[in-house]
Amino acid sequence: MRDVVDRAYKGRCVALRDAQGAAGILGALQAEIGGDGFMRLQIVDLRASTELLPALNETLATDVRSLAALAVNDNARDTVFLVHLLDGACASDLQTFVRAGRLSIGSGAAVVVAACDRALEGLGGEHWDAVDAAGLVGPLDGIAFAAAHLTQADGLAIRIKAAVAVEVGTWDLCLTERLLDLPMKLALRPDLCAEQWLEADDQGVAQHLDGWGGEPARHAAWLASNDKGSLTKRVWRGQLGVLFPWIEERRRDVIARHRHFLRATDQTMPEVEMLDWGPISIQLGNSPKGCPKAVQSARTMRNELAHGRPVTWPTISQCLDEFGTWAAART
């Protein structure tokens, strides 16, 4: 994704080939370019229109009568236009707009990045780079996209939500956005509520494989209909990366607070610090105060995740609440 942005900053126009899920790809580019603030940014959606000039005038709030004149207008210069096409119907007009800007005296000609959800033809020549969209979006792009989209305060639950959305949505950032907009109960187990996030447009891209993190990846809509087990594995991977470190930190906290009730044995580990949740819960259960509820909840979550099973939001929420109470209590 950064490669496309760098090309645009160098004044190269980009035609994205086979951009399945083009809206999501352009959305990720919007987040990258908008975040940099290096050039002005305009979004032009031509899926419902075959006329470029009126669409550009509306976008720029101008009333210029030709593409050539608009190309040298101050409102268009030093601007990156992200153009979502229905097909190649506007390709010739885009060529005219770009060429006119390059022929003008001085620098700052507009740059166009164009994509559509099917094969894009008719864009080429000295000012254009054709870039394969397959494999363009990767996990780091997904994380950046999620970070730009979420507005809630940072916290464990939000990080889990983002991680699950990125893992499930993979290269279709439109789907990732929908998953991020789900309420927490659904967002943390999208494999159990596919009807809440599937849309008719997904069927157009569901049959396609795309690259994701260096490997081919199916669309989640295809998995929901044909391989629910793999869909659940994506949810699990998203949860695992955030929850496991948190659970490990809580294990160390519990050992530090209740160390005087814990001991290493030949059947457990040679050091108290290495005790896992099972021995911890058993030994604390035999202590005068008994085993805290938070320890039991953490043990349950850890066991589920360790065996490849994602957990639900009520389970996570209960554990968070119990550890909040445990941390606030006196030793």
Side-chain angles (χ1 to χ4, degrees), residues 172-209:
D172 187 349
L173 297 178
C174 290
L175 173 55
T176 300
E177 184 175 15
R178 270 180 267 147
L179 295 171
L180 291 170
D181 288 338
L182 290 174
M184 194 67 70
K185 183 178 180 180
L186 303 180
L188 267 58
R189 288 302 305 269
D191 55 317
L192 301 180
C193 61
E195 69 282 355
Q196 297 292 327
W197 49 265
L198 284 173
E199 292 186 355
D201 289 346
D202 291 333
Q203 299 309 312
V205 296
Q207 303 303 318
H208 294 273
L209 279 171

Side-chain angles (χ1 to χ4, degrees), residues 31-72:
E32 286 266 4
I33 297 171
D36 284 351
F38 184 70
M39 296 179 73
R40 288 183 295 184
L41 179 67
Q42 295 290 351
I43 315 300
V44 184
D45 191 342
L46 291 175
R47 286 174 293 176
S49 172
T50 57
E51 297 186 51
L52 179 62
L53 181 59
L56 289 177
N57 271 321
E58 181 178 354
T59 300
L60 296 171
T62 54
D63 187 21
V64 181
R65 297 187 178 183
S66 72
L67 288 169
L70 187 57
V72 297

Side-chain angles (χ1 to χ4, degrees), residues 296-319:
Q296 297 288 12
S297 294
R299 180 187 183 186
T300 297
M301 278 209 306
R302 185 267 178 199
N303 287 344
E304 289 295 295
L305 292 170
H307 290 89
R309 296 186 291 265
V311 292
T312 62
W313 169 239
T315 299
I316 297 171
S317 179
Q318 176 181 326
C319 191

Side-chain angles (χ1 to χ4, degrees), residues 32-232:
E32 286 266 4
I33 297 171
D36 284 351
F38 184 70
M39 296 179 73
R40 288 183 295 184
L41 179 67
Q42 295 290 351
I43 315 300
V44 184
D45 191 342
L46 291 175
R47 286 174 293 176
S49 172
T50 57
E51 297 186 51
L52 179 62
L53 181 59
L56 289 177
N57 271 321
E58 181 178 354
T59 300
L60 296 171
T62 54
D63 187 21
V64 181
R65 297 187 178 183
S66 72
L67 288 169
L70 187 57
V72 297
N73 186 280
D74 287 342
N75 290 332
R77 297 178 70 81
D78 295 311
T79 300
V80 177
F81 290 89
L82 302 180
V83 181
H84 194 167
L85 299 164
L86 179 63
D87 49 36
C90 290
S92 178
D93 285 345
L94 278 173
Q95 295 275 48
T96 299
F97 177 68
V98 168
R99 191 182 306 113
R102 298 306 189 280
L103 291 175
S104 65
I105 299 175
S107 59
V111 172
V112 175
V113 178
C116 70
D117 296 294
R118 60 191 74 178
L120 180 57
E121 299 177 354
L123 293 177
E126 60 179 317
H127 307 302
W128 289 86
D129 294 339
V131 176
D132 287 327
L136 184 66
V137 176
L140 293 178
D141 298 307
I143 293 169
F145 180 82
H149 181 77
L150 289 169
T151 57
Q152 299 99 319
D154 191 11
L156 182 70
I158 294 300
R159 294 198 299 276
I160 301 170
K161 185 180 190 181
V164 170
V166 170
E167 283 289 343
V168 173
T170 60
W171 44 268
D172 187 349
L173 297 178
C174 290
L175 173 55
T176 300
E177 184 175 15
R178 270 180 267 147
L179 295 171
L180 291 170
D181 288 338
L182 290 174
M184 194 67 70
K185 183 178 180 180
L186 303 180
L188 267 58
R189 288 302 305 269
D191 55 317
L192 301 180
C193 61
E195 69 282 355
Q196 297 292 327
W197 49 265
L198 284 173
E199 292 186 355
D201 289 346
D202 291 333
Q203 299 309 312
V205 296
Q207 303 303 318
H208 294 273
L209 279 171
D210 206 330
W212 177 253
E215 299 179 356
R218 287 280 188 185
H219 193 277
W222 188 92
L223 296 180
S225 300
N226 300 280
D227 189 356
K228 291 184 177 179
S230 292
L231 181 61
T232 299

